[in-house]
Amino acid sequence: MRRRRPESAWISSRIRLLVAKMAALLLGLLFSGQLFAEPDELLLWHSLRGDERRAIDRLAEDWNREHPEETVRPLAVPYDAYANKLTNAIPRNNGPDLFIAAHERIGDWSRSGLLSPLDEKDFAPLPKRDFLPATLAAFTYEGRLYGLPLAFKSTALFVNPKLLNGGSVPETTDQLEAVCRKLKEDRPEVFCLAYEAAGFYHHAAWLYGFGGGIFDANGRVRLNRTENARSLAFVFEWLQKGYIPEDATAALVAQLFNENRAAFVINGPWFLGEIDGGGRYEVARLPVISETERRMQPFLTVDGVLISANTPRRDRALEFARYLAGPVGAGLRAEIGRQTVALADDAERSRIDPHLAAFREQAQDARPMPNVPLMRSVWEPAAQALRKVLRGAATPEEALKTADRRIAIVTRPPPEAADPFLALGAAFLLLVGGALYGLYRMKRSDTFADMRKCGAAYAYLAPAALAMFVLVFTPFVVGTAVSLFSHRAGEYTFVGLANFWSILSSADYAVTDPLSFYFTLAVTVLWTVANVFLHVTLGLGLALLLRDPWLKLQGVYRVLLIVPWAVPNYITALIWKGMFHKQFGAINGLLVFLGLEPVSWFSHFWTAFAANLATNTWLGFPFMMVVTLGALKAIPTDLEEAAEVDGAGRVRRFFAVTLPLVKPALLPAVILGSVWTFNMFNIIYLVSGGEPDGATEILISEAYRWAFSRQEQYGYAAAYGTLIFLVLLLYNWGTKRVVREA
């Protein structure tokens, strides 16, 4: 006879069912965004800082006050990640309704379908004729307009009158050089002209002033030309004479100008917010190059507001865009943000500020930055060529020839499309075969019986297993799948194993070229071995030292030695980067104090590698020290005392007693440290940046370059990532036996 469940058990089961339904409903509402729903609002992305950001925030506040039913939420996104976030978010309907960006990515974004084009009626009641023609041309690509111009920017000449002693602002480079020569004689600690000389954006003014260019008449990139080489040689000569600081960063340029250690600075209107307000300065047009009788022509960059192609609120987004670009928005952006606005009727607003007026005059000589997609492939090779010349590592002609070759490699045609059905069939068979093999192994090892016996234990492990599946296994599968595709202009094309073949065959470059997978793999292995050796040696040595009873204040020393590990590694990397600066770094300062010559750390492979190695060693030895200290505490003192009684010295006791007992704890730490170091992206990216000429890149940083610096070749970068996984998998297989034997 069937037993009836007690009433209490029935009620308990109903309550559990009700709670489960409510939890499911709650999760559904959370994931659908309907719980705690905010008012329908426009999302505006931008990467502005300082006064420009305050102007946009003020305009959004004023708009929301007047339009409470159609509010706007501005969101500041870090500049370095801005473009990548846009290209990944908008196609998936997760991005902004409208965003503010410079015009140079218009070609890429329009071809990728990220932008909503504009026509005449979209400008009403703000006619197109109210904008400066050059700013509209900047947002035009293949005959279509894609944005409302807000402001334009170019570099100009900042002047410190205190260092001119009443002299006039130089009109030509000959006059400027005369001032520089006099300053060098009278005040050697002062730099005549400070700017980011190693940046191609700032160098463009010299390049065009010498009559050079980037594209030929057929629209192809051609950097190796006589005029470009002359511009590089000119800057190198001034650098050698000491007129320009070496390895100048934006922060260093601002510091030199604020401390009256730079007479002239080449910079843009954003520099106004970085200058000490108490100091007097002027802004003038860049001088005429005496050799060519051409005025320096910097890049002209136009910021505008663009409408996302996937926004469901296009009309409202367009209305707010007109508000930003119109008279009210232009007035506040000029007054608060100190922008040189693109609205022609409000152009005179900038003349209230003489500095903005000078930038408006400079814009007459500026060259609009090309907005074609091919321009993105120019920045990295051109900057590498510029740095090679300034370091004296190559002649201008050699550096530009190498740059053209690298651009040709990066812009090579994608692999031919392949038939996906064969790959899908192979993947299906591999998946089924793997599943059957796994079931066979589980059945053979009585795993199913163990699962039935230990059901509660497996239930506790289920959340961790689910997290591993979502956070590790799924991204790996997706990344591996992406490696079988070629990504160009927002479109993915199945190419099978072509990316792997291109990487492993090294068909486009020699094996000894820094772009080669094998060269980068060799550097990565050398990087890993050298780091782990130093980590273990220093960590083990310090642990043995801290264990000795004669050492007082051991607790204090332990805390101090753990600090390098506790500080975030990107902060440590930036600190060490500054310490390795050739002219202002603490390390070269110490070398000069000792009577040695300063070292240009990032000009040669071994010095740049040593800089990366020193930084990562500082970060890594505390981990090994802590692990070793714990293992040393577990060693019975009787063993070492017995060895000492038997006549064993310190070295003999270390190798016969201490090291064998520490090895079981140290080996897993070494393996883990090897994997960490193998993929230590931050140090390479922030300290050497791959210099010189990409030679110190490791596999993970090289994969990043292919994904985000070389026309978003995600499939090629994913193939790099898959190969990294296979290398580490092989390393893990090889270390299993070592760990078992230990």
Side-chain angles (χ1 to χ4, degrees):
M1 182 176 178
R2 185 178 177 183
R3 294 177 59 186
R4 184 179 179 182
R5 284 192 303 172
E7 190 70 20
S8 58
W10 181 85
I11 295 174
S12 176
S13 65
R14 299 297 294 176
I15 292 175
R16 286 198 299 269
L17 180 61
L18 180 61
V19 170
K21 289 183 177 180
M22 292 178 63
L25 178 62
L26 182 64
L27 289 173
L29 290 172
L30 283 172
F31 281 107
S32 65
Q34 297 176 10
L35 190 65
F36 310 116
E38 298 179 356
D40 192 19
E41 62 181 4
L42 291 173
L43 180 60
L44 168 70
W45 280 16
H46 65 85
S47 61
L48 303 175
R49 299 177 298 173
D51 292 338
E52 292 181 307
R53 178 177 178 177
R54 283 189 286 274
I56 294 298
D57 290 341
R58 167 72 179 278
L59 286 168
E61 290 174 5
D62 293 347
W63 172 272
N64 292 340
R65 195 162 40 248
E66 297 175 5
H67 304 80
E69 73 288 350
E70 298 178 354
T71 58
V72 174
R73 178 163 61 92
L75 178 64
V77 179
Y79 175 78
D80 291 340
Y82 191 61
N84 292 327
K85 286 183 178 292
L86 285 169
T87 55
N88 286 291
I90 291 178
R92 293 159 183 80
N93 298 320
N94 294 323
D97 297 287
L98 68 168
F99 58 95
I100 297 173
H103 77 279
E104 62 261 24
R105 294 291 299 271
I106 295 299
D108 268 334
W109 290 338
S110 64
R111 288 188 176 182
S112 300
L114 269 63
L115 306 178
S116 176
L118 307 178
D119 53 31
E120 288 286 347
K121 64 181 179 59
D122 290 329
F123 278 78
L126 191 63
K128 291 171 63 175
R129 63 176 180 272
D130 288 352
F131 293 92
L132 296 176
T135 61
L136 289 173
F139 281 97
T140 302
Y141 181 72
E142 294 182 343
R144 307 194 74 177
L145 187 64
Y146 287 96
L148 291 172
L150 297 179
F152 57 90
K153 302 173 183 177
S154 71
T155 57
L157 190 68
F158 286 77
V159 183
N160 187 342
K162 295 179 182 179
L163 299 177
L164 294 184
N165 296 323
S168 59
V169 178
E171 283 290 328
T172 66
T173 53
D174 284 348
Q175 296 175 7
L176 180 60
E177 186 172 12
V179 175
C180 293
R181 193 181 307 113
K182 185 77 167 59
L183 271 174
K184 192 68 177 175
E185 295 172 356
D186 298 342
R187 301 187 61 178
E189 77 281 2
V190 172
F191 290 97
C192 178
L193 179 63
Y195 73 103
E196 296 176 66
F200 186 67
Y201 173 83
H202 287 82
H203 182 76
W206 298 104
L207 184 135
Y208 287 117
F210 273 90
I214 299 173
F215 298 95
D216 61 17
N218 297 319
R220 294 189 296 264
V221 176
R222 190 167 70 87
L223 293 177
N224 186 20
R225 57 181 79 180
T226 304
E227 298 82 2
N228 293 352
R230 286 162 61 194
S231 72
L232 292 174
F234 180 87
V235 176
F236 175 69
E237 181 183 351
W238 277 37
L239 192 72
Q240 292 297 105
K241 292 178 178 179
Y243 300 158
I244 302 172
E246 297 185 42
D247 298 330
T249 62
L252 178 60
V253 170
Q255 179 183 348
L256 292 174
F257 196 74
N258 286 330
E259 294 177 355
N260 292 317
R261 296 176 59 194
F264 304 97
V265 163
I266 297 177
N267 222 320
W270 54 87
F271 193 59
L272 295 170
E274 300 173 7
I275 297 175
D276 183 5
R280 293 182 65 251
Y281 57 90
E282 300 175 7
V283 181
R285 294 170 71 181
L286 293 170
V288 173
I289 296 176
S290 301
E291 184 178 339
T292 63
E293 298 183 351
R294 292 170 176 260
R295 189 172 290 276
M296 294 175 65
Q297 301 175 39
F299 275 139
L300 178 70
T301 304
V302 184
D303 287 343
V305 56
L306 303 102
I307 311 298
S308 170
N310 294 339
T311 177
R313 298 173 285 273
R314 185 181 186 278
D315 292 341
R316 288 175 48 200
L318 191 58
E319 186 179 357
F320 182 71
R322 288 194 292 261
Y323 173 75
L324 287 180
V328 176
L332 275 175
R333 287 186 289 105
E335 179 183 351
I336 299 176
R338 306 189 73 182
Q339 290 185 340
T340 47
V341 297
L343 195 63
D345 290 347
D346 285 76
E348 295 301 321
R349 293 179 183 271
S350 65
R351 299 192 180 278
I352 300 173
D353 188 328
H355 301 137
L356 296 183
F359 279 107
R360 183 169 292 279
E361 293 179 7
Q362 178 63 67
Q364 299 173 14
D365 306 313
R367 288 283 190 100
M369 188 183 296
N371 62 9
V372 296
L374 193 57
M375 183 64 191
R376 292 193 58 209
S377 65
V378 173
W379 293 106
E380 183 184 8
Q384 287 179 342
L386 179 58
R387 289 192 293 266
K388 285 172 69 174
V389 172
L390 297 184
R391 291 194 306 259
T395 65
E397 292 78 11
E398 293 171 346
L400 292 173
K401 184 178 179 180
T402 302
D404 278 346
R405 185 175 63 84
R406 292 209 165 189
I407 292 171
I409 291 172
V410 172
T411 58
R412 66 191 185 283
E416 294 183 1
D419 187 359
F421 292 104
L422 180 62
L424 287 173
F428 176 76
L429 292 176
L430 186 64
L431 184 63
V432 172
L436 292 175
Y437 178 74
L439 290 173
Y440 168 75
R441 289 292 302 270
M442 292 174 70
K443 184 177 181 181
R444 186 176 179 183
S445 59
D446 293 330
T447 303
F448 294 110
D450 292 341
M451 291 178 67
R452 285 193 294 269
K453 293 178 182 178
C454 307
Y458 280 102
Y460 280 114
L461 291 175
L466 179 62
M468 288 289 291
F469 179 82
V470 173
L471 299 177
V472 177
F473 181 74
T474 302
F476 170 74
V477 171
V478 172
T480 305
V482 171
S483 68
L484 304 177
F485 290 80
S486 172
H487 176 268
R488 296 292 172 93
E491 295 184 359
Y492 288 90
T493 304
F494 183 81
V495 295
L497 299 176
N499 288 325
F500 293 94
W501 172 251
S502 178
I503 293 171
L504 296 176
S505 66
S506 194
D508 297 312
Y509 26 75
V511 174
T512 56
D513 192 291
L515 287 176
S516 169
F517 172 80
Y518 300 104
F519 180 92
T520 309
L521 176 62
V523 173
T524 307
V525 172
L526 176 64
W527 159 258
T528 304
V529 171
N531 272 285
V532 172
F533 172 78
L534 290 174
H535 293 171
V536 173
T537 303
L538 290 175
L540 186 59
L542 289 170
L544 291 170
L545 186 64
L546 290 173
R547 188 187 62 156
D548 281 344
W550 60 266
L551 184 66
K552 306 300 181 183
L553 301 175
Q554 291 186 12
V556 175
Y557 293 135
R558 288 174 185 173
V559 171
L560 292 177
L561 289 171
I562 290 174
V563 167
W565 191 37
V567 176
N569 58 22
Y570 63 89
I571 295 177
T572 302
L574 293 174
I575 292 173
W576 279 83
K577 171 77 170 180
M579 291 171 61
F580 283 113
H581 193 278
K582 182 178 181 180
Q583 287 182 296
F584 303 100
I587 295 176
N588 275 348
L590 180 62
L591 293 177
V592 171
F593 177 77
L594 296 174
L596 302 174
E597 289 292 325
V599 177
S600 180
W601 290 97
F602 304 111
S603 298
H604 307 282
F605 171 80
W606 289 112
T607 53
F609 186 85
N612 290 335
L613 183 63
T615 305
N616 202 53
T617 299
W618 174 260
L619 284 168
F621 79 85
F623 172 72
M624 295 298 178
M625 183 190 72
V626 170
V627 171
T628 308
L629 272 174
L632 289 173
K633 290 292 185 182
I635 297 177
T637 57
D638 297 345
L639 293 177
E640 294 185 289
E641 290 174 356
E644 186 177 6
V645 169
D646 290 340
R650 277 183 173 271
V651 177
R652 180 64 176 170
R653 291 202 306 272
F654 172 76
F655 285 102
V657 179
T658 306
L659 187 59
L661 293 175
V662 168
K663 191 163 62 173
L666 194 58
L667 274 177
V670 169
I671 294 170
L672 184 59
S674 301
V675 175
W676 286 346
T677 305
F678 196 89
N679 286 327
M680 183 53 73
F681 171 82
N682 284 356
I683 303 304
I684 303 298
Y685 184 78
L686 296 174
V687 179
S688 73
E691 290 296 310
D693 208 21
T696 56
E697 299 280 7
I698 60 175
L699 289 175
I700 191 68
S701 62
E702 187 70 6
Y704 172 86
R705 300 289 183 192
W706 283 107
F708 302 112
S709 299
R710 300 167 187 167
Q711 293 194 320
E712 296 175 348
Q713 299 189 40
Y714 295 139
Y716 202 83
Y720 252 91
T722 304
L723 290 173
I724 292 171
F725 169 78
L726 294 176
V727 170
L728 291 176
L729 187 66
L730 182 64
Y731 172 76
N732 178 67
W733 178 80
T735 56
K736 280 184 177 180
R737 180 175 298 179
V738 178
V739 173
R740 283 197 301 265
E741 292 177 355

